[in-house]
Amino acid sequence: MIDGTMQDFALTLDRFLRHAAKWHPDAEVVTARAGGGSDRIGYAALKDRATAVSSVLAGLGVAAGDRVATLAWNSAAHVEAWYGVMGMGAVCHTLNPRLTAEQLSAMVDQSGARVLIVSADLLSLANGIAAQARTIAHVLTIDGEAGTPLEPMIADAARDAVWGEFPETAPSGLCFTSGTTGAPKGVTYTHRSSFLHTLRLLQVDGMAISATDTVLAVVPMFHANAWGLPFAAPAAGARLVLPGRQADGASLARLIAEEGVTVSVGVPTVWLGLVEHLDAVGGDLPSLKRVIVGGAPLPPALMERIEMRLGVEVQTSWGMTELSPSGTVARFGDAGRAASVSGRPAIGVDLLLTDAEGRALAEQREVEGHLRVRGAAVVDRYFGQIESAADADGWFATGDLARIDRHGNLTITGRAKDLIKSGGEWINPAEIEAVVGALPGVSLAAVIARSDAKWGERPILLVEMSDEAVSDSALLGSLKGRVAPWWVPDAVVRLAAMPLAPTGKIDKIRLRRDHGAA
């Protein structure tokens, strides 16, 4: 007996753009211009230009497996660069422009990138990186005329670059973790891992993006694959709207209204800025149906404010760079869900609660444990490291504390590294932050340890307020009956602006440095 076979169809990322160019050729990728107005290009034309980028890079000596760095905002030109790099089998190393030249050059030295593609308004930073990094030989600019523009090279380049003639397990991208709790580590994505991750995003109980959607990706392309949206939008044939570096409330309101955005994606602080702008100037955004948030805890009061002011449903999510990055997404239409609940995992990723030593808890529902994860788009080994980051059974320790309810919905209850040990007993800052952050008048709240001669560590509360009339005693009083009395912070520190890491999360490393000493 001879079994039949199925076709060998490699899961490489170029297939998304090729699919969009063939079946959704006129669906647009829209880029906001500084000062107003937008540029737009259809998927067919974008694919044509992306193949030209591949030809340009090949002419500079880039081959499959080589790293090409990008330092750019969310724009169609950046999307072209992504597909031009990845389509030819090279590896796209995204750099975060909110870091310093010294930090970024250290990452480039690790990746060995010879070409750096940069937004023209970031050329000064790029030159600083090139001056310190040992490998950068070419700096090419997009979205502007400064430096050595890529645009005339694209115009003159051949469109016959061969895409996809490499294994689906080949590396496609490199992103370093945000470093909010420790030193950044490089995460290498493969074509297969990001392809399967995209299929998870498109599920009805995931981000559920379809060809009828217009998706605003405020989450930056320079970190964690912009949550996979530059792959998911063309895969579905959805219109993709990119804000450039204009992520303020006024710019986002204009984009949403002018482009008929139906789904918007970004960290909570972005949507706070949008709501505050609309409160100040008035107006509504009737096309917008869903706001997907992640990357940082969402205060319940902010979730309610977003939903009421915008007339949308907020979908919370949880993920991390090491997960490509999506882990769970709350289901659209799941009314009455708490802001802290991040939804269930889709097929292809699995969750496990363990004790501090990594032993699986006997009960996996309605208990708190250390969260581990495994799946086709979960890191196995960090860039440049020999040993696996996962245990013998493939479980990766996220560093998060979590609960899973009886329906399988995940709630992150804290970070293991954030726990405060006071007098030999543990305090979970996330539980305090959840209570205080829900109070009217509180924009952002964080709890850190301050060294203490008697107890070793004691918690202090740091807040950014929208209403300074709320007293310290009211802030601390909200904790009565909600947490153990000895968990109540010893002090309240009011900040004009909470320090945020480059990815929009509260920067607890900086808070500990500035406020953690006795």
Side-chain angles (χ1 to χ4, degrees):
M1 181 176 64
I2 301 175
D3 284 326
T5 60
M6 303 302 288
Q7 295 182 9
D8 184 9
F9 186 92
L11 306 183
T12 55
L13 298 175
D14 55 286
R15 294 191 184 276
F16 293 143
L17 188 52
R18 290 198 280 180
H19 171 84
K22 181 175 182 179
W23 297 107
H24 307 275
D26 299 322
E28 294 175 328
V29 177
V30 180
T31 304
R33 291 196 300 263
S38 299
D39 297 317
R40 56 195 71 242
I41 185 172
Y43 279 124
L46 192 146
K47 187 261 181 184
D48 179 72
R49 289 173 56 84
T51 56
V53 172
S54 298
S55 296
V56 171
L57 294 174
L60 296 176
V62 175
D66 291 342
R67 266 76 65 187
V68 175
T70 67
L71 180 73
W73 309 109
N74 288 18
S75 71
H78 198 182
V79 175
E80 291 168 2
W82 269 32
Y83 279 97
V85 172
M86 298 180 195
M88 67 184 296
V91 182
C92 186
H93 176 193
T94 50
L95 299 175
N96 187 335
R98 294 167 183 161
L99 301 177
T100 67
E102 182 179 8
Q103 291 170 314
L104 294 171
S105 63
M107 296 175 185
V108 170
D109 276 339
Q110 290 185 58
S111 77
R114 295 180 58 252
V115 178
L116 172 57
I117 299 174
V118 56
S119 291
D121 61 355
L122 293 170
L123 183 57
S124 177
L125 176 58
N127 288 337
I129 296 167
Q132 299 179 59
R134 293 168 293 181
T135 58
I136 296 293
H138 305 280
V139 177
L140 308 177
T141 57
I142 57 175
D143 295 325
E145 299 301 319
T148 304
L150 183 56
E151 183 60 37
M153 300 181 188
I154 291 175
D156 295 338
R159 265 62 174 172
D160 57 358
V162 176
W163 277 7
E165 298 297 322
F166 46 81
E168 64 181 29
T169 53
S172 61
L174 174 63
C175 179
F176 281 76
T177 60
S178 60
T180 53
T181 58
K185 295 186 285 289
V187 178
T188 301
Y189 306 113
T190 68
H191 284 265
R192 179 180 184 272
S193 70
S194 291
F195 197 107
L196 295 175
H197 178 271
T198 302
L199 298 185
R200 283 202 286 113
L201 287 186
L202 296 178
Q203 291 184 40
V204 173
D205 285 346
M207 290 191 179
I209 295 168
S210 78
T212 63
D213 280 314
T214 295
V215 182
L216 172 61
V218 186
V219 56
M221 291 176 63
F222 54 73
H223 191 74
N225 294 332
W227 297 0
L229 294 173
F231 304 135
R239 295 177 72 237
L240 180 61
V241 179
L242 303 167
R245 68 179 303 170
Q246 287 75 240
D248 60 282
S251 297
L252 295 181
R254 176 187 70 81
L255 269 179
I256 293 169
E258 291 182 355
E259 301 301 332
V261 169
T262 59
V263 183
S264 57
V265 187
V267 297
T269 50
V270 166
W271 311 120
L272 174 62
L274 174 62
V275 167
E276 290 184 339
H277 167 76
L278 293 176
D279 283 347
V281 304
D284 294 301
L285 302 171
S287 68
L288 192 60
K289 306 304 179 187
R290 296 189 285 144
V291 172
I292 302 174
V293 300
L298 176 65
L302 178 56
M303 178 174 172
E304 181 179 5
R305 187 178 177 189
I306 293 170
E307 292 190 330
M308 294 295 293
R309 182 62 183 85
L310 300 181
V312 301
E313 182 172 323
V314 171
Q315 286 178 266
T316 49
S317 68
W318 167 80
M320 55 196 308
T321 305
E322 290 90 340
L323 273 62
S324 301
S326 179
T328 63
V329 181
R331 184 173 64 88
F332 181 55
D334 194 2
R337 179 182 36 79
S340 60
V341 176
S342 300
R344 287 179 293 235
I347 184 69
V349 65
D350 198 9
L351 309 179
L352 179 72
L353 297 179
T354 74
D355 61 19
E357 286 70 44
R359 294 183 293 262
L361 299 182
E363 296 293 333
Q364 290 287 308
R365 297 290 190 270
E366 305 295 354
V367 295
E368 184 180 66
H370 293 251
L371 180 62
R372 296 192 175 218
V373 61
R374 65 182 178 187
V378 177
V379 69
D380 175 42
R381 186 178 67 246
Y382 286 108
F383 182 78
Q385 297 188 7
I386 297 175
E387 295 186 358
S388 174
D391 66 19
D393 294 320
W395 292 105
F396 170 74
T398 66
D400 287 316
L401 301 174
R403 296 177 66 90
I404 301 173
D405 69 18
R406 62 188 181 89
H407 301 294
N409 291 299
L410 176 73
T411 296
I412 300 298
T413 58
R415 289 285 294 171
K417 290 183 178 179
D418 287 346
L419 294 179
I420 298 169
K421 199 166 191 177
S422 184
E425 300 291 339
W426 293 106
I427 296 172
N428 187 349
E431 294 189 35
I432 303 172
E433 293 162 355
V435 174
V436 176
L439 296 176
V442 177
S443 295
L444 295 169
V447 174
I448 65 168
R450 175 175 285 176
S451 57
D452 185 90
K454 180 178 181 180
W455 302 108
E457 294 179 332
R458 286 294 301 156
I460 63 168
L461 172 65
L462 303 104
V463 290
E464 176 186 327
M465 303 295 296
S466 59
D467 181 3
E468 292 291 348
V470 181
S471 67
D472 289 359
S473 59
L475 294 174
L476 298 178
S478 68
L479 298 169
K480 185 176 181 181
R482 306 288 297 278
V483 301
W486 59 276
W487 279 30
V488 175
D490 285 357
V492 176
V493 178
R494 293 172 181 252
L495 303 176
M498 187 73 70
L500 301 179
T503 52
K505 301 176 185 178
I506 293 176
D507 190 345
K508 287 200 170 181
I509 290 180
R510 181 174 170 186
L511 289 178
R512 293 186 187 103
R513 182 192 68 203
D514 295 345
H515 303 283

